[in-house]
Amino acid sequence: MAEIGNKVKLNAGWLAARSTEVNLTGTQLTTTHPPSITPSSPWMEASVPGTVLGTLVKNKVVPDPFYGLANETIIDIADSGREYYTFWFFTTFQCKLQSESQHLDLNFRAINYSAEVYINGHKKVLPKGMFRRHSLDVSEVLHTDGKNLLAVLVHPPDHPGRIPDKGGQGGDHEIGKDVAAQYVEGWDWMTPIRDRNTGIWDEVSISRTGPVKIIDPHLVSTFFDDYKRVYLHATIEIQNRSSWVSDCSVKIQVTAELEGNICLVEHLQAQKVSVPTGSIIQYTFPQLYFYKPNLWWPNGMGKQYLYNVVISIDVDGFGESDSWSHDFGFRKIESDIDPATGGRLFKVNGQRIFIRGGNWILSDGLLRLSEKRYHTDIKFHADMNFNMIRCWGGGLAERPEFYHYCDIYGLLVWQEFWITGDVDGRGDPKSNPDGPLDHDLFLLCARDTVKLLRNHPSLALWVGGNEQVPPPDINDALKSDLKLHPHFQPSENNQLMSVLSLTAEDPSEYLDGTRIYIQGSMWDGFANGKGDFSDGPYEIQYPENFFKDNFYNYGFNPEVGSVGMPVAATIRATMPPEGWRIPLFKKLPSGYIEEVPNPIWDYHKYIPYSKPCHVQSQIELYGSPKDLDDFCLKAQLANYIQYRALIEGWNSRMWKKYTGFLIWKTQNPWTGLRGQFYDHLLDQTAGFFGCRCAAEPIHVQLNLCTYFIEVVNTTSNEISGVAIEASVWDLEGMCPYFKVFEKLSLPPKQTSSIAEMEYPTYKNSKPVYFLLLKLYKVSNDGIISRNFYWLHQFGGDYKKLEPYRKINIPIQVTSKVNIKGSSYEVRMNVQNNSKNAESSRLTYKNNFINRQDLGDLDSNSLLLENKEQTNEKCSTSFFSKIWRRGSIENNSSRLVETNGNDVGVAFFLHFEVHDSKAEENEEGDTRILPVHYSDNYFSLVPGEAMSINLSFEAPPGVTPKITLHGWNLSQSFTVC
């Protein structure tokens, strides 16, 4: 039963059937002949929200299209016709109104592509467009007994297109004629989606109101006096659905959550408003004043403070008629072109932010979207220390749940509209340059999307399209609709801007007005700013290339990418045995090695680890792989190096040449084999942790071109009283080079060059060696940043690491496990127990510290590594709530160690979590996923110890087992 002001989601109990197999009308289905599942009926359990193909996969009518070559066995809509994927969806819901003044709305947050809705025998038509909301007042057709029948006939996009033999970007581009996601005809990273995502793909709900309804509130904050004086502006639309003038009390309440789940009401204001009968009016509240509120900051710059804003309406003679609530962050985002670099520059709350982030398509290619999955996705991005996600134009206008977690974890969002050059003006065959056929529909969907998302503090900018500008009339309309309010226009004269904003229209009366609109992803400060395809590259590189001055010539690269092979367990879980064959390594006459993948890898868009005549195989550097496990492990070594070097190369020229970059791409919406930091099953590659290392707010690194040690300080504070410890270790466990650089001061927002590494020029330097860099506070030896490299001499390789796998390093692991229901939080202390005279004389007393000790620096995205502290990620983390409440059901400790007797670096250690019983019975993929790690794929020099935190949720009835693997552990061993 929907209460006033609260929606009830209709996400269970749905049935579905192909329309051509149902010989009943919508009226019959919702009156005399409601469907049921029987052996002879076409009806099956449906996925809502979801798609037709998702429902067919769920019921095993078709195989999993993400497994092996199974997608090739599923009929494509181009061959079947649109009717084949036109489906009925049916459910019932319980609701009846308690008075004639009440109204019930049936809400569809998105349908692809059009639909006919039947409720209790009454028909309503939902117009076209994948990205628009529909709200139907169904008050007059509800059954008096409260049981209501709902049937929805969903039609696919009008122009689903055909997949050419050569495939290509967006198939034959016909999908671009509709206002819909364009990736569904396939891309160089994605196989075609056979139903083109037809379905009720987003939330369905019912909501009850009184005679007056609140529509699309808009919240805006303005700042003065160096962010000390802040105003909250709010504008709403009010609809009076009664037959009389409604006298209302309109209230706004702002609440702050304090420690211990205590809430403080910061503001409560009520105003009298009269709304004429049958009308919709716009009402703007008097602005609310705040003095020094807590601000919302991006990941790595500060905390993500959120206030709760509640707007409600009481109607005289009726009572509460409607209410609306939203979490809101006080922050100001500004953007302009940086005169020093020519790149797009972003400021948040007056502070420059160096953008380090990634491109995002969508969570799942079959639109099996869920709040839980979104939580994991966004937390993974925060765990990598990223601060921006770009929602690519060929994908989705992302959902409020996506933005909710971006708000919580501090990920700025670049949201693109549904234009991409491959489908809107170029390609083979040549695509339609004029965008969708219905420009008015496109603009209607765009404006509705703005209203849906504009109150999220994480939303940073709107972009017209990917590698393309929208058609002139659409582009001009978007520029007009999304023009900035004077307060948010860039200006050097803040006092003048303050005067202008006070005399201008209230900013909350704009459609948005707080964020810039950029016409395309390579215009106006992105790439070369002219749309000349100056983004990329997208392939394997020599690590040192990223540091070269000529690697990328422009200030902000919106797409730069590389490899992304997952671990072997993922290959086995997503492919039949014939897909487990590793590539053939074919030596060309030039001496370069070409990789020839098996057909299944090729279908899954594998991108090689070599680029003939340009980049030698980064797998073969370690020796020829023997099997799938060996290949995937060596791929992880390359993944780690590749992405750490990519980010460190940009770090090295922060603000001198670059203002930011976005990696293409962070994940795959299916079981792809390229450009990803975690796979579709939610297991991280080593590249994930290479990014995590390199994108630290304060980071010590080695410039792979100059061999200078550098420190990157992206914070607003000078860091003083710190030192750098640099040590080189050889394969015999000796330390031929050790040096401490003391009395360092690191300026804010700057990369500082400290000193040149001398070791590679030593007379007897080794062909393969390890380098450990530690930036630490002198006062307490607390490590701020730690970075471990494996390196070879110029022109060499890593083949000497192959025999290094045979040594046996003694490892000690102390684990502490906290369990609350199915949630686990585990702290591992891992120590390399090998010692010799060299290691015993060196300092290993450094402790990992909370980066917040350095001032106003945020460490929300970093799991604390101090042995005396616990992990408190953020107030929404259920693991941190477990710690604070102290209500742990199970708390156990354990110590295990190996019997190794060799001395050396414990190399490339990584944890995995498995279902212990399934593993004993060899029941397929036994991994428990996802797992959040404070670090993984790490190495320890002799005598060194490190704390690693793990958090995960185990399925019911599953006993998790945590194992530690390593390059030179004789075998993996169970630590918990």
Side-chain angles (χ1 to χ4, degrees):
M1 179 71 71
E3 300 298 329
I4 292 287
N6 294 323
K7 68 182 179 183
V8 173
K9 296 180 184 179
L10 303 182
N11 55 7
W14 287 84
L15 305 179
R18 183 169 284 113
S19 63
T20 55
E21 298 176 2
V22 176
N23 298 318
L24 297 168
T25 66
T27 300
Q28 291 171 314
L29 290 172
T30 57
T31 53
T32 57
H33 294 79
S36 61
I37 298 176
T38 65
S40 60
S41 80
W43 294 91
M44 64 192 83
E45 292 183 7
S47 294
V48 175
T51 64
V52 168
L53 188 55
T55 288
L56 295 175
V57 172
K58 175 182 178 180
N59 289 275
K60 299 183 179 180
V61 176
V62 298
D64 180 358
F66 292 0
Y67 184 83
L69 299 177
N71 193 55
E72 289 293 279
T73 69
I74 302 173
I75 189 169
D76 191 83
I77 193 171
D79 301 313
S80 67
R82 292 174 68 247
E83 294 78 10
Y84 187 79
Y85 286 109
T86 299
F87 263 62
W88 280 106
F89 292 86
F90 176 88
T91 193
T92 62
F93 64 91
Q94 191 73 27
C95 188
K96 61 182 178 180
L97 301 180
Q98 297 170 346
S99 73
E100 293 183 358
S101 297
Q102 288 189 353
H103 293 261
L104 189 79
D105 290 314
L106 174 63
N107 310 300
F108 296 89
R109 209 164 64 182
I111 283 183
N112 190 27
Y113 185 63
S114 61
E116 299 158 26
V117 177
Y118 295 82
I119 181 168
N120 299 333
H122 298 267
K123 178 182 178 180
K124 294 180 181 289
V125 176
L126 300 186
K128 299 173 182 179
M130 183 175 180
F131 302 108
R132 65 186 298 180
R133 294 170 295 169
H134 308 274
S135 185
L136 306 175
D137 186 347
V138 297
S139 309
E140 295 182 357
V141 300
L142 296 180
H143 283 158
T144 56
D145 63 0
K147 184 177 181 180
N148 301 283
L149 286 72
L150 171 64
V152 186
L153 181 63
V154 180
H155 301 276
D158 291 347
H159 302 89
R162 180 170 294 278
I163 314 303
D165 291 339
K166 294 182 180 180
Q169 313 294 72
D172 65 358
H173 316 302
E174 284 292 294
I175 195 70
K177 294 179 178 179
D178 296 329
V179 183
Q182 299 179 359
Y183 75 92
V184 291
E185 281 197 65
W187 226 264
D188 58 6
W189 43 263
M190 183 74 190
T191 193
I193 303 297
R194 299 306 188 188
D195 70 340
R196 308 294 190 265
N197 284 156
T198 301
I200 308 173
W201 69 274
D202 198 10
E203 176 186 285
V204 184
S205 67
I206 55 173
S207 54
R208 183 199 301 261
T209 73
V212 175
K213 177 183 178 181
I214 298 170
I215 302 174
D216 290 330
H218 187 200
L219 306 177
V220 174
S221 53
T222 56
F223 300 84
F224 304 92
D225 302 332
D226 196 23
Y227 297 87
K228 295 176 184 176
R229 181 162 54 99
V230 181
Y231 295 93
L232 176 64
H233 308 259
T235 293
I236 61 175
E237 290 182 342
I238 307 173
Q239 181 182 18
N240 181 3
R241 295 192 276 193
S242 71
S243 57
W244 61 87
V245 174
S246 291
D247 294 319
C248 308
S249 175
V250 185
K251 300 177 184 177
I252 183 169
Q253 176 179 295
V254 183
T255 305
E257 184 176 345
L258 306 178
E259 291 295 326
N261 295 323
I262 298 174
C263 294
L264 172 67
V265 177
E266 296 266 359
H267 274 283
L268 178 59
Q269 182 190 95
Q271 302 289 324
K272 292 292 185 180
V273 179
S274 290
V275 187
T277 179
S279 67
I280 298 177
I281 68 167
Q282 180 175 289
Y283 175 75
T284 300
F285 286 90
Q287 60 193 24
L288 301 179
Y289 171 67
F290 294 78
Y291 182 69
K292 290 185 177 180
N294 292 319
L295 302 182
W296 184 95
W297 292 95
N299 188 29
M301 292 184 70
K303 290 186 177 295
Q304 293 76 49
Y305 284 103
L306 293 171
Y307 292 76
N308 184 248
V309 179
V310 177
I311 297 173
S312 60
I313 292 183
D314 287 356
V315 176
D316 290 355
F318 178 84
E320 186 177 53
S321 181
D322 199 5
S323 68
W324 173 92
S325 68
H326 204 284
D327 289 335
F328 182 75
F330 288 102
R331 64 96 183 94
K332 182 178 182 180
I333 293 179
E334 301 169 276
S335 183
D336 207 347
I337 295 178
D338 178 33
T341 64
R344 176 59 58 174
L345 171 66
F346 291 89
K347 290 183 179 179
V348 177
N349 303 332
Q351 298 292 328
R352 286 187 303 173
I353 176 171
F354 187 61
I355 298 297
R356 298 182 291 191
N359 284 267
W360 167 272
I361 313 303
L362 68 160
S363 187
D364 178 73
L366 299 189
L367 300 186
R368 292 168 294 196
L369 310 179
S370 70
E371 188 168 352
K372 185 175 182 179
R373 174 89 185 204
Y374 274 137
H375 189 178
T376 298
D377 282 319
I378 303 309
K379 187 177 186 306
F380 273 174
H381 285 74
D383 287 347
M384 286 188 285
N385 292 315
F386 284 170
N387 53 32
M388 180 176 276
I389 300 178
R390 173 194 173 205
C391 294
W392 175 74
L396 300 182
E398 265 301 352
R399 302 297 88 195
E401 290 79 10
F402 172 94
Y403 277 90
H404 169 71
Y405 287 110
C406 288
D407 294 345
I408 287 173
Y409 287 101
L411 274 298
L412 297 172
V413 184
W414 157 337
Q415 180 64 66
E416 231 153 72
F417 293 110
W418 320 284
I419 296 286
T420 173
D422 303 275
V423 178
D424 297 292
R426 65 173 192 265
D428 182 15
K430 186 76 172 180
S431 57
N432 172 30
D434 198 32
L437 296 181
D438 190 337
H439 288 198
D440 290 338
L441 174 60
F442 185 96
L443 288 169
L444 185 153
C445 291
R447 291 164 183 148
D448 195 60
T449 296
V450 172
K451 292 178 181 179
L452 177 68
L453 303 176
R454 63 190 177 185
N455 293 312
H456 289 278
S458 56
L459 178 56
L461 73 158
W462 303 102
V463 177
N466 167 61
E467 299 177 344
Q468 180 68 301
V469 174
D473 59 324
I474 292 178
N475 197 34
D476 290 345
L478 290 174
K479 286 179 179 178
S480 176
D481 288 346
L482 298 173
K483 66 179 182 290
L484 291 174
H485 184 274
H487 179 76
F488 296 93
Q489 293 174 2
S491 173
E492 297 298 324
N493 190 336
N494 291 329
Q495 289 184 341
L496 174 62
M497 197 53 56
S498 298
V499 172
L500 286 173
S501 62
L502 288 173
T503 58
E505 184 180 11
D506 190 286
S508 65
E509 295 177 14
Y510 279 47
L511 179 64
D512 187 334
T514 68
R515 306 166 177 90
I516 60 167
Y517 167 75
I518 302 294
Q519 58 186 346
S521 66
M522 297 189 297
W523 279 259
D524 304 319
F526 297 122
N528 74 351
K530 302 175 183 178
D532 292 338
F533 303 103
S534 44
D535 48 6
Y538 304 91
E539 300 144 325
I540 193 77
Q541 302 290 328
Y542 287 126
E544 60 270 21
N545 287 357
F546 295 110
F547 293 83
K548 293 180 178 177
D549 192 56
N550 63 354
F551 179 72
Y552 190 70
N553 294 322
Y554 309 105
F556 194 118
N557 193 339
E559 294 184 15
V560 56
S562 189
V563 292
M565 189 67 188
V567 299
T570 293
I571 297 297
R572 292 191 176 95
T574 58
M575 297 180 185
E578 53 267 30
W580 303 354
R581 300 194 309 270
I582 65 175
L584 298 174
F585 288 82
K586 180 181 177 182
K587 194 167 185 177
L588 303 179
S590 63
Y592 280 80
I593 294 174
E594 180 183 20
E595 294 180 35
V596 182
N598 69 63
I600 298 179
W601 285 27
D602 195 46
Y603 189 78
H604 285 254
K605 314 296 184 177
Y606 173 76
I607 186 170
Y609 282 72
S610 64
K611 187 179 180 184
C613 302
H614 292 280
V615 180
Q616 286 279 16
S617 170
Q618 299 297 287
I619 300 285
E620 285 276 332
L621 280 180
Y622 299 91
S624 297
K626 299 183 289 293
D627 53 27
L628 180 65
D629 292 285
D630 193 34
F631 180 93
C632 289
L633 178 59
K634 288 173 178 173
Q636 300 318 310
L637 291 162
N639 289 345
Y640 193 104
I641 289 177
Q642 189 76 180
Y643 286 109
R644 178 178 59 182
L646 187 158
I647 295 177
E648 289 181 342
W650 254 266
N651 287 346
S652 186
R653 289 183 169 82
M654 178 177 68
W655 306 125
K656 297 174 183 177
K657 185 175 181 179
Y658 301 130
T659 60
F661 63 90
L662 299 172
I663 296 175
W664 184 266
K665 51 194 176 9
T666 57
Q667 46 74 250
N668 275 299
W670 78 306
T671 49
L673 301 180
R674 62 163 59 194
Q676 61 187 347
F677 299 125
Y678 59 95
D679 60 44
H680 194 257
L681 304 182
L682 298 176
D683 199 358
Q684 300 99 327
T685 74
F688 182 106
F689 299 98
C691 283
R692 179 180 175 83
C693 171
E696 295 173 304
I698 301 171
H699 178 65
V700 61
Q701 66 180 43
L702 179 68
N703 186 311
L704 295 179
C705 269
T706 66
Y707 262 63
F708 268 76
I709 297 172
E710 301 171 336
V711 179
V712 185
N713 180 8
T714 65
T715 76
S716 302
N717 302 316
E718 180 179 12
I719 309 300
S720 58
V722 295
I724 294 174
E725 180 183 294
S727 58
V728 170
W729 298 83
D730 61 25
L731 298 183
E732 287 71 44
M734 303 299 290
C735 182
Y737 177 90
F738 180 86
K739 191 166 185 178
V740 176
F741 305 92
E742 298 181 300
K743 299 180 180 179
L744 301 177
S745 291
L746 309 174
K749 306 285 186 182
Q750 185 172 317
T751 297
S752 302
S753 184
I754 306 301
E756 185 176 6
M757 270 294 298
E758 302 163 343
Y759 178 76
T761 61
Y762 277 22
K763 181 178 180 180
N764 296 319
S765 59
K766 300 298 179 68
V768 176
Y769 59 96
F770 304 109
L771 170 65
L772 176 61
L773 299 177
K774 292 190 287 186
L775 174 68
Y776 64 95
K777 292 184 72 173
V778 175
S779 61
N780 62 2
D781 300 312
I783 295 178
I784 302 166
S785 173
R786 176 189 182 276
N787 203 347
F788 180 89
Y789 295 84
W790 53 103
L791 300 165
H792 60 71
Q793 296 288 350
F794 178 77
D797 56 41
Y798 292 115
K799 291 180 180 176
K800 286 189 177 295
L801 285 176
E802 186 65 30
Y804 200 57
R805 299 171 84 162
K806 297 179 181 179
I807 72 169
N808 193 6
I809 303 297
I811 299 294
Q812 176 181 293
V813 182
T814 303
S815 61
K816 183 176 182 180
V817 182
N818 294 310
I819 307 170
K820 173 65 176 179
S822 61
S823 301
Y824 286 71
E825 185 168 279
V826 185
R827 177 176 295 254
M828 300 286 186
N829 189 69
V830 188
Q831 181 162 338
N832 180 345
N833 275 345
S834 70
K835 294 181 180 180
N836 56 23
E838 287 289 315
S839 61
S840 61
R841 71 178 177 85
L842 302 177
T843 58
Y844 295 106
K845 58 185 178 180
N846 307 74
N847 297 315
F848 287 93
I849 65 169
N850 181 357
R851 277 77 165 174
Q852 284 179 318
D853 292 346
L854 299 171
D856 193 30
L857 171 62
D858 174 50
S859 63
N860 274 2
S861 68
L862 304 174
L863 292 170
L864 305 186
E865 297 173 5
N866 187 348
K867 297 177 184 178
E868 288 74 38
Q869 299 187 41
T870 58
N871 170 25
E872 296 184 359
K873 168 63 186 75
C874 73
S875 62
T876 60
S877 167
F878 60 89
F879 293 114
S880 60
K881 288 179 180 177
I882 291 170
W883 279 107
R884 288 201 297 272
R885 288 197 302 265
S887 58
I888 305 302
E889 293 179 352
N890 189 334
N891 189 322
S892 60
S893 299
R894 183 182 179 189
L895 185 149
V896 295
E897 53 189 335
T898 65
N899 296 319
N901 51 17
D902 292 315
V903 176
V905 170
F907 183 54
F908 219 51
L909 303 172
H910 62 281
F911 287 106
E912 293 180 356
V913 184
H914 290 261
D915 176 349
S916 59
K917 293 180 181 178
E919 194 171 47
E920 290 174 4
N921 297 325
E922 299 182 351
E923 297 176 358
D925 188 7
T926 63
R927 290 172 296 172
I928 294 175
L929 298 170
V931 181
H932 296 279
Y933 299 92
S934 64
D935 205 353
N936 217 1
Y937 294 98
F938 59 98
S939 302
L940 298 173
V941 302
E944 190 181 22
M946 183 186 295
S947 289
I948 306 291
N949 296 319
L950 295 74
S951 58
F952 58 90
E953 187 171 349
V958 168
T959 301
K961 180 178 78 170
I962 302 175
T963 56
L964 180 65
H965 305 258
W967 185 266
N968 50 4
L969 292 182
S970 59
Q971 58 184 12
S972 63
F973 67 103
T974 302
V975 296
C976 182

